[in-house]
Structures are given as C-alpha cells and as structure tokens.
C-alpha cells in the first residue's frame, strides 16, 4: 500500500471512528486514551486493544445482547442471528451490508444470473451474507440452504441456475447426486464457495465439470474479508484479495503487534461498515500477507491454548515472556510427553545469547505460566514460519 493510499484509508478510519465512539459502547472502551489524530498508519493501530472472537461469547453473556458492539438498538436492524459459540450478530438494513458483492463480481457473477444459495438460512448469517451480495449485483437467488438434496435438484432442473454459492464439498455432492439420479445440473457454470476447505483436487474436479470455482474468506461477524480474483491475463491470482471496505492486519498470535510481510500470524480485521462495527477484531485464524492487499488465505487457527500438567498455558503468556526479554526474537513453546509426564521447552531465537540469559528466561517462564520449563536458544530465523506460538507435540492417543 503506497503512502497516499494509506493516508486516505486512515483519514476515513479516523472520521468513522469519531462518529462511532459515541454510538458503540465497545468501540468507546477500545478508544479510551487513544488520540484519533495519531492514527496515521498500520503500526498505530497496535495502540488499540483487540476484541477477541475467542472470548466474545463470554462478553455477550455479561453485556447482552451484543457486548456493546452495536451502534443502534436491536429492533432497528434487519435481522438478528445466533452463530456457534454462541455468538450473536446483526444484519444492517441496506444493500450488501456484509460486503459480499465484490467477491461475486470477482468470481464472474453478473446481473441476471440465477444463484443457487446452499448456505444455511437457519439462525446463522451465512446464507444472508451471500444472498445480499448476489442481490446487490442484480442476481436472483434460490434459497436452497444445505440438505434436502432431492428437492434442491428438482429446483435446479426446473429453474436452471447459472451459479452456485455454498460450501465446496456440498457442490460436489449435488453434482454427484444429479448424475446418479438423472437430473440435469449442467446450467451451473460458476461457483463462489466458502465455509470449508477447497483443496486443489476438489477445485480441479469441479472445474473439470465446467464449473468455474472461486472462493471467499468470510466470517459470521465480519462478512466477506477477502476473496479470490484474477490477474490481467485472466489467470487466478495468488492468494486472496482483501475486501476494499475492511482493514486487515496480521499480528503475532497472542499479542497485537503486526508481524513482518510474509510472516504467518493471526488475522485481525477492522470492519466499520454499518451499525454493527468491529474494531481490531481478532478472528483466531492464521494467515500471512503476500503484499499489502493480498493474503495467503486460511492457514489454521491461532488459538493454541494447551493444558500442561493440569494448567492452561495461553499464547498471550508466551508473548509476555518475550516482552520481559526484548533481546529474544520469535518464541515457540514446544510441549511433549517424556517419561509419561508433560514436558515443555521454550525455544527462542536470539543472535548472541549472553551468559545467564537462559536462566533468566526460565525464571520468567515459571513466573508467567506457573510451570517449570526448559529454555533452548536457536539462531534467528530457525523457527518455522507457521504462526504457532505453542506447538503441542504430545500424541493424541
């Protein structure tokens, strides 16, 4: 992102936050002590505390219904949702409130397409995220939802949808069952998929059946975060393009500071569209930036809490140990079984460890985690770039 583009983005961010801080109690709390005028670039965002998806359910129980996130009363939204967790969300009134239209456009959807929507319409926002984006482009939608395969195939044969939205594996199930039952599903020629992995083998199979398949990265709270797009030559571009109406950071798991370009970390999203705004929302997902506007896509989960000798150890605690010893680089707590007991070793990158540093770090490990652990120093850059702060290598059985 060039400095001019960054300046424009943060000017809009400051303007929007100045409005929301008086309307959203959660954002008001996040911005306590923060000078909005000082928010000039990505590094400045680290001054604002995160809202973590992992504890949002608890916060909503303590402050129903939305933990102070909403900027208006529940009755003024279009829809209210319950997602697994449980986490409660709201849908704004207006066109494309979840920012899904960009993903559909990049996948080749156009006005007049008939979209078979196989995301769930029951309590969760998944189907409505996609439906609103399709409608914003001028598409008609068949609200199929998951399941009811035979009825869905009847609708496909009669209504001849040109496109599909839903999980990628369910599209394969539909096409397989259509072939087996003699239904004509050949009208479906493009798909925008999400909610499950799209391995290269599945993409290849779907495209061999003449269904151009693209994927989007979305969550129930944030809507569409990023999506696949094509380059100037029409070929699929690497990674996922970050949606223009959100701001994405990749931060150290368990912390809030940004990692270097290309390093794996936790995806943090600021989405201030509408009246259900989220400022520095830590998704718990891992990814990395390819460049300033593209991420690699979903690379696993950042929540690596481990129970060791009956005690929970959290990634935030490993980050705290690093703060106590700034001469250390990347850290990784490795958990194993040795002699039928849990054992842990903190591996730390350091250029030239001084005498006594290992003992000092080991003392910090015990103070912070309440557990004893070994300390092992490794060369700078020696730890894997996989976003793991805690690596639990104990056998599962």
């Amino acid at each position: 992102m060039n400095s001019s583009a960054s300046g424009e983005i943060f000017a809009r961010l400051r303007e929007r936050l100045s409005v929301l801080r008086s309307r959203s109690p959660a954002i008001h709390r996040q911005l306590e002590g923060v000078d909005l005028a000082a928010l000039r670039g990505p590094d400045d965002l680290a001054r604002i505390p995160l809202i973590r998806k992992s504890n949002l359910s608890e916060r909503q129980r303590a402050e129903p219904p939305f933990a102070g996130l909403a900027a208006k009363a529940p009755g003024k939204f279009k829809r209210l949702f319950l997602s697994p967790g449980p986490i409660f969300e709201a849908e704004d009134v207006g066109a494309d409130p979840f920012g899904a239209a960009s993903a559909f456009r990049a996948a080749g959807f156009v006005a007049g397409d008939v979209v078979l929507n196989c995301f769930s319409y029951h309590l969760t926002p998944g189907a409505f995220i996609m439906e609103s984006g399709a409608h914003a482009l001028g598409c008609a939608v068949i609200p199929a939802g998951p399941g009811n395969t035979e009825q869905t195939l009847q609708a496909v044969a009669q209504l001849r949808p040109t496109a599909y939205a839903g999980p990628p594996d369910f599209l394969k199930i539909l096409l397989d069952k259509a072939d087996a039952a003699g239904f004509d599903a050949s009208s479906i020629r493009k798909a925008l998929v999400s909610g499950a992995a799209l391995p290269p083998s599945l993409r290849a199979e779907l495209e061999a059946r003449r269904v151009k398949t693209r994927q989007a990265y979305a969550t129930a709270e944030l809507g569409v975060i990023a999506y696949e797009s094509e380059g100037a030559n029409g070929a699929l571009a690497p990674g996922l393009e970050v949606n223009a109406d959100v701001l994405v950071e990749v931060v150290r798991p368990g912390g809030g500071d940004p990692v270097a370009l290309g390093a794996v970390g936790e995806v943090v999203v600021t989405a201030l569209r509408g009246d259900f705004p989220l400022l520095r929302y830590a998704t718990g997902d891992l990814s990395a930036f390819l460049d300033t506007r593209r991420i690699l896509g979903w690379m696993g989960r950042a929540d690596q809490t481990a129970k060791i000798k009956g005690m929970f150890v959290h990634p935030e605690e490993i980050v705290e140990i690093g703060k106590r010893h700034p001469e250390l680089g990347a850290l990784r707590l490795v958990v194993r079984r040795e002699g039928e007991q849990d054992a842990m070793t903190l591996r730390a990158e350091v250029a030239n460890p001084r005498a006594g540093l290992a003992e000092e770090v080991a003392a910090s490990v015990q103070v912070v985690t309440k557990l004893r652990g070994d300390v092992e120093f490794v060369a700078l850059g020696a730890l894997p770039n996989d976003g793991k702060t805690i690596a639990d290598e104990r056998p599962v059985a």
Side-chain angles (χ1 to χ4, degrees):
M1 184 186 307
N2 61 47
S3 58
S4 176
S6 178
E8 292 176 6
I9 290 171
F10 276 84
R12 293 195 298 269
L13 177 71
R14 294 191 300 272
E15 181 180 0
R16 183 74 176 128
L17 288 177
S18 68
V19 173
L20 289 172
R21 75 186 311 170
S22 64
R23 299 179 55 206
S24 165
I27 286 182
H28 179 79
R29 289 190 290 265
Q30 281 180 280
L31 293 177
E32 287 181 358
V34 175
D35 179 8
L36 287 183
L39 296 179
R40 297 285 171 175
D43 290 343
D44 299 325
L45 285 177
R47 305 172 190 171
I48 300 173
L50 300 173
I51 290 181
R52 294 195 175 276
K53 181 171 183 172
S54 57
N55 61 26
L56 183 54
S57 177
E58 179 181 348
R59 292 178 60 161
Q60 289 187 335
R61 286 196 299 271
E63 189 181 357
F66 300 123
L69 295 172
K72 63 184 179 184
K76 294 186 177 180
F77 286 100
K78 186 175 183 179
R79 294 185 180 91
L80 307 177
F81 301 109
L82 167 61
S83 295
I87 295 175
F88 297 87
E89 309 98 1
E91 178 185 354
D92 262 304
V93 176
D96 197 26
F98 300 104
S102 297
F104 279 105
R105 189 178 295 110
F109 288 55
V110 296
D113 274 329
V114 175
V115 181
L116 180 72
N117 189 4
C118 290
F119 285 103
S120 176
Y121 279 87
H122 180 65
L123 283 178
T124 62
F128 299 99
I129 290 173
M130 294 304 185
E131 182 173 289
S132 63
H135 284 164
L137 285 187
C139 303
V141 174
I142 303 171
N148 297 318
T149 309
E150 185 172 343
Q151 283 183 307
T152 298
L153 289 175
Q154 290 174 353
V156 169
Q158 184 72 19
L159 298 175
R160 308 298 291 160
T162 53
Y164 168 91
D169 47 356
F170 189 66
L171 176 55
K172 173 177 162 51
I173 290 171
L174 276 179
L175 295 178
D176 287 345
K177 291 192 174 181
D179 290 345
F183 285 98
D184 181 6
S186 63
S187 62
I188 300 175
R189 284 289 173 259
K190 48 197 164 189
L192 180 65
V193 301
S194 190
L198 178 63
S201 57
L202 179 53
R203 189 201 296 268
E205 179 176 345
L206 294 174
E207 298 209 337
R209 299 167 89 159
R210 299 179 61 198
V211 181
K212 175 183 173 182
T213 305
R214 298 291 181 260
Q215 61 181 325
Y217 168 38
T219 72
E221 307 82 40
L222 294 158
V224 173
I225 299 167
Y227 50 85
E228 288 185 325
S229 58
E230 297 174 357
N233 60 357
L236 183 63
L240 304 176
E241 181 175 341
V242 174
N243 212 345
D245 64 352
V246 301
L247 196 158
V248 171
E249 304 167 75
V250 177
V251 307
R252 190 178 305 281
D257 296 326
V259 299
L261 181 68
V264 177
E266 183 175 6
V267 176
V268 171
V269 181
T270 293
L272 303 181
R273 46 169 106 97
D275 288 313
F276 197 80
L278 289 165
L279 173 61
R280 298 205 79 212
Y281 185 74
T283 64
D285 294 332
L286 293 174
S287 191
F289 273 110
L290 285 170
D291 56 39
T292 57
R293 289 303 301 171
R294 302 191 73 86
I295 59 175
L296 279 173
W298 188 84
M299 300 176 67
R301 293 290 294 169
D303 184 8
Q304 300 154 27
T305 299
K307 194 172 187 179
I308 307 169
K309 296 182 178 179
M311 298 282 289
F312 284 106
V313 178
H314 304 274
E316 295 91 329
E317 293 173 310
I318 309 307
V319 171
E320 172 60 27
I321 294 167
K323 290 179 179 178
R324 295 181 179 213
H325 302 279
E327 62 264 63
L328 302 180
L331 302 177
R332 186 184 186 96
L333 186 71
V334 179
V335 188
R336 298 188 179 93
R337 291 286 288 176
E338 295 178 358
E340 299 305 319
Q341 292 186 350
D342 291 340
M344 66 185 200
T345 299
L346 181 69
R347 304 188 72 204
E349 293 183 1
V350 62
N352 296 297
R354 56 178 171 78
L357 180 59
E359 290 77 12
E360 294 173 18
V361 175
S364 293
V365 169
Q366 185 171 1
V367 168
V368 174
T369 69
K370 309 300 187 290
L371 294 167
R372 293 182 183 273
D374 295 328
V375 174
E376 176 186 341
F377 294 136
V378 299
L380 296 177
L383 295 179
N385 179 26
D386 57 7
K388 286 189 177 181
T389 302
I390 299 177
D392 193 340
E393 298 180 357
R394 293 172 292 187
V396 295

